């Protein structure tokens, strides 16, 4: 085999290895601002700046405390006090009241969240839905 063919084969093998075609997982999509489908990311990027004014240290409207260390136990597999849905049902974002409130869907009690906006972007809501559909883990 001549040298140019060997170099071509080596380049081809190197490119195939770099592509990672056999990787069992794909990169986790993120929303603008680095939001990941992990509770810790949702906590720091969404709940802390946008929600805990009404659902935190000084107020727990609808009995919901979204402060760090409390959000998971107040959301996941907990019945809403407003409608006949869980706040978050792991694996089922469509039937999680949190998503209904963030989307401002008909049938919610009160206002779309966060109250008076700015509302979450569709990309941010998609990441929260992904976290729920992935099992709503305490991660």
């Amino acid at each position: 085999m001549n040298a140019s063919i060997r170099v071509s084969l080596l380049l081809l093998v190197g490119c195939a290895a770099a592509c990672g075609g056999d990787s069992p997982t794909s990169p986790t999509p993120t929303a603008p601002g680095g939001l990941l489908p992990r509770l810790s990311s949702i906590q720091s990027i969404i709940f802390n700046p946008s929600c805990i004014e009404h659902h935190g240290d000084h107020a727990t409207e609808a009995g919901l405390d979204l402060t760090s260390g409390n959000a998971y136990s107040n959301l996941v597999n907990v019945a809403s006090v407003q409608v006949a849905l869980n706040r978050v049902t792991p694996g089922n974002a469509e039937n999680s009241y949190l998503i209904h409130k963030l989307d401002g869907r008909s049938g919610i009690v009160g206002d779309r969240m966060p109250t008076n906006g700015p509302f979450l972007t569709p990309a941010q809501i998609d990441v929260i839905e992904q976290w729920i559909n992935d099992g709503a883990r305490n991660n």
Side-chain angles (χ1 to χ4, degrees):
M1 183 181 305
N2 73 33
S4 64
I5 293 175
R6 271 188 260 159
V7 168
S8 295
L9 284 174
L10 286 174
L11 287 173
L12 181 61
V13 169
C15 287
C19 289
D22 293 334
S23 175
T25 59
S26 59
T28 301
T30 60
L35 181 63
L36 297 169
R38 300 177 54 85
L39 181 59
S40 58
S41 181
I42 295 165
Q43 182 73 55
S44 65
I45 296 174
I46 304 291
F47 294 163
N48 290 347
S50 301
C51 305
I52 61 173
E53 178 180 344
H54 296 278
H55 300 286
D57 294 328
H58 303 292
T60 54
E61 293 181 23
L64 180 57
D65 181 352
L66 292 176
T67 56
S68 295
N70 295 308
Y72 184 83
S73 64
N74 278 268
L75 283 173
V76 178
N77 289 316
V78 175
S80 166
V81 298
Q82 297 179 331
V83 298
L85 290 173
N86 280 345
R87 290 172 173 161
V88 169
T89 299
N92 193 346
E94 184 60 31
N95 287 310
S96 294
Y97 193 52
L98 175 64
I99 298 301
H100 292 224
K101 290 291 278 189
L102 295 175
D103 279 342
R105 294 184 187 180
S106 64
I108 63 171
V109 174
D111 298 321
R112 180 179 181 185
M113 296 288 115
T115 300
N116 301 321
F119 301 121
L120 302 185
T121 66
Q124 290 172 315
I125 294 171
D126 286 347
V127 172
I128 296 170
E129 286 178 337
Q130 182 180 349
W131 168 70
I132 294 170
N133 286 331
D134 288 348
R137 292 185 306 273
N138 191 4
N139 56 3

